[in-house]
Amino acid sequence: MEQLLQQIESYKKEISAFEASTADAVENFRIKWLGTKGLVKTIMGEMKNVPNERKKEFGQILNEFKLFVETKFQSLAENNSGLQTKDSELIDWSLPGDPIALGTRHPLSIVRNQIVSIFKRLGFAVAEGPEIEDDWHNFGAMNLPEDHPARDMQDTFYINQDPAWLLRTHTSSVQARVMEKQKPPIRVICPGRVYRNETISARAHCFFHQVEGLYIDENVSFADLKQTLYFFVQEMFGKDTKVRFRPSYFPFTEPSAEMDISCLICGGDGCNVCKHTGWVEILGSGMVHPKVLENFGIDSNKYTGFAFGMGVERICQLKYRVNDLRLYSQNDVRFLKQFTGAL
Ligand code: DAH
């Protein structure tokens, strides 16, 4: 008899210590103790060996034991409801999760968006044009004469020679597209991809990105051009950035100027990026050539305008110190990941 009591005590200890983390384990517990061939049944069967005078006492002990097992089973079942049903599906919730890779904008998109948003605040609208252009919109309308070197096969990707279809070499072609459809006042900013027949290196690529600007109205002067671009530079690169204009030549503007900013890399002291001059060129600009206006029936006696064109890669190089153009199109995640979080 005493042996039986001991057995029950040790069963109770085993049951108290038992824990289950899967529905399978709970089910195994039920089968082991409460099943038709379970241990509770077996130990109940011992009643027949108990002498009559102790049957009442033992009956009570066994009933309590059975209740004990059933209570334990109930609590196991409750704690495990909603968990996986199979051991093989067991998840260790304490393991660190897989990192969620955050998507990033391409650095050129970030910079283009910044440029566009600055000009939008000045009232410029966004205009786009086709990347496959005809000779007229890319060259002729922009006052590039027939024999201009830019039209050379060496510099331009021609899709078709006669009539000439080509990959646009600059976003100035969008100026033509806009003037074709719109009457002054015109105030547009034109971001886009352009193509040139260049050997790919750290400093040249066969495609890159530009943002073009065009502003035509009555009484638009060179002072307006300077002030607009000066505002842009301060917003883009900070209040301390200095600018300077150098006389230049573009067939579609007269007069023309290139704009430099004080080198952001060395602060103007001189470094490789500014070729030790303290200045870096960031854009071309000028007053729209009267011939260009007349090409679109805009009266050049009544209206004047300014235009400018800048390279997005260049601005990106200065902002993020990217010094190899090839990085932009190699899709190396180690490069692209560095721009996480930027807008
Ligand atoms: N189209 C010129 C280029 O690709 C850039 C440019 C210069 C655009 C002067 C303009 C401008 O609108 O006025 O190099």
Side-chain angles (χ1 to χ4, degrees):
M1 279 311 94
E2 299 318 310
Q3 220 182 333
L4 197 57
L5 283 174
Q6 264 174 22
Q7 179 74 74
I8 289 173
E9 279 316 304
S10 95
Y11 279 163
K12 276 185 161 176
K13 273 199 195 115
E14 182 186 338
I15 289 165
S16 295
F18 181 80
E19 279 176 38
S21 53
T22 66
D24 274 354
V26 177
E27 177 61 4
N28 289 339
F29 178 91
R30 191 193 63 76
I31 293 165
K32 176 176 177 182
W33 298 101
L34 300 168
T36 38
K37 291 177 187 162
L39 286 168
V40 170
K41 258 255 164 74
T42 314
I43 211 152
M44 289 292 198
E46 294 293 323
M47 268 302 269
K48 60 179 184 297
N49 303 326
V50 174
N52 276 345
E53 65 275 17
R54 300 192 69 179
K55 272 206 165 43
K56 190 176 169 204
E57 178 199 344
F58 259 89
Q60 236 166 7
I61 290 171
L62 287 172
N63 274 338
E64 268 169 30
F65 177 64
K66 189 178 175 204
L67 195 69
F68 175 78
V69 180
E70 282 169 352
T71 312
K72 175 77 178 185
F73 170 69
Q74 215 110 66
S75 89
L76 287 174
E78 272 164 28
N79 289 340
N80 282 283
S81 68
L83 277 192
Q84 311 75 29
T85 49
K86 295 198 184 74
D87 283 339
S88 59
E89 286 173 13
L90 180 61
I91 292 171
D92 181 352
W93 298 102
S94 68
L95 277 177
D98 285 339
I100 298 168
L102 274 185
T104 72
R105 273 194 212 289
H106 194 279
L108 293 175
S109 302
I110 295 167
V111 169
R112 181 210 49 214
N113 291 350
Q114 287 172 347
I115 299 170
V116 166
S117 88
I118 293 170
F119 284 103
K120 269 191 175 171
R121 275 156 50 204
L122 293 175
F124 283 76
V126 176
E128 286 183 352
E131 290 180 20
I132 299 174
E133 259 306 359
D134 52 50
D135 190 87
W136 168 249
H137 291 92
N138 194 77
F139 294 132
M142 299 317 291
N143 202 30
L144 271 101
E146 285 289 338
D147 55 357
H148 196 279
R151 292 187 173 208
D152 199 279
M153 287 289 284
Q154 254 70 52
D155 296 317
T156 303
F157 289 115
Y158 283 91
I159 289 168
N160 190 33
Q161 266 276 276
D162 192 21
W165 284 99
L166 47 94
L167 296 179
R168 68 179 176 196
T169 61
H170 54 183
T171 43
S172 302
S173 59
V174 188
Q175 284 191 35
R177 295 263 162 205
V178 170
M179 283 187 274
E180 216 165 43
K181 289 207 200 80
Q182 247 173 275
K183 293 268 152 282
I186 291 171
R187 197 156 37 176
V188 287
I189 192 95
C190 325
R193 180 176 291 172
V194 301
Y195 302 82
R196 292 198 194 161
N197 195 355
E198 304 260 7
T199 307
I200 296 171
S201 73
R203 261 175 244 117
H205 211 295
C206 58
F207 65 81
F208 54 98
H209 300 79
Q210 291 187 330
V211 176
E212 188 84 11
L214 177 68
Y215 186 2
I216 303 172
D217 203 349
E218 290 178 43
N219 300 320
V220 175
S221 71
F222 202 91
D224 296 320
L225 168 125
K226 282 174 86 171
Q227 195 53 46
T228 304
L229 294 179
Y230 185 56
F231 174 81
F232 163 71
V233 165
Q234 295 224 314
E235 291 297 300
M236 191 74 198
F237 298 110
K239 297 275 175 232
D240 295 333
T241 319
K242 294 198 259 308
V243 301
R244 75 176 184 190
F245 286 83
R246 277 179 296 102
S248 183
Y249 170 77
F250 300 100
F252 32 89
T253 45
E254 183 58 38
S256 305
E258 279 171 324
M259 190 176 81
D260 299 341
I261 61 169
S262 49
C263 183
L264 299 167
I265 311 288
C266 64
D269 295 340
C271 67
N272 287 339
V273 173
C274 63
K275 299 195 194 93
H276 301 281
T277 64
W279 295 95
V280 282
E281 183 202 320
I282 65 159
L283 54 82
S285 63
M287 300 306 292
V288 181
H289 198 292
K291 267 199 192 160
V292 174
L293 296 175
E294 300 295 342
N295 278 339
F296 297 96
I298 297 172
D299 181 354
S300 62
N301 290 317
K302 185 169 178 204
Y303 293 106
T304 49
F306 67 76
F308 56 87
M310 65 184 91
V312 180
E313 278 81 353
R314 186 53 183 271
I315 307 238
C316 203
Q317 174 190 25
L318 296 172
K319 270 218 102 142
Y320 293 113
R321 310 197 173 191
V322 180
N323 49 21
D324 187 330
L325 279 175
R326 292 167 294 195
L327 286 166
Y328 292 122
S329 50
Q330 275 164 345
N331 279 339
D332 186 330
V333 176
R334 291 168 301 177
F335 169 69
L336 297 172
K337 259 198 336 209
Q338 297 177 57
F339 300 90
T340 316
L343 298 171

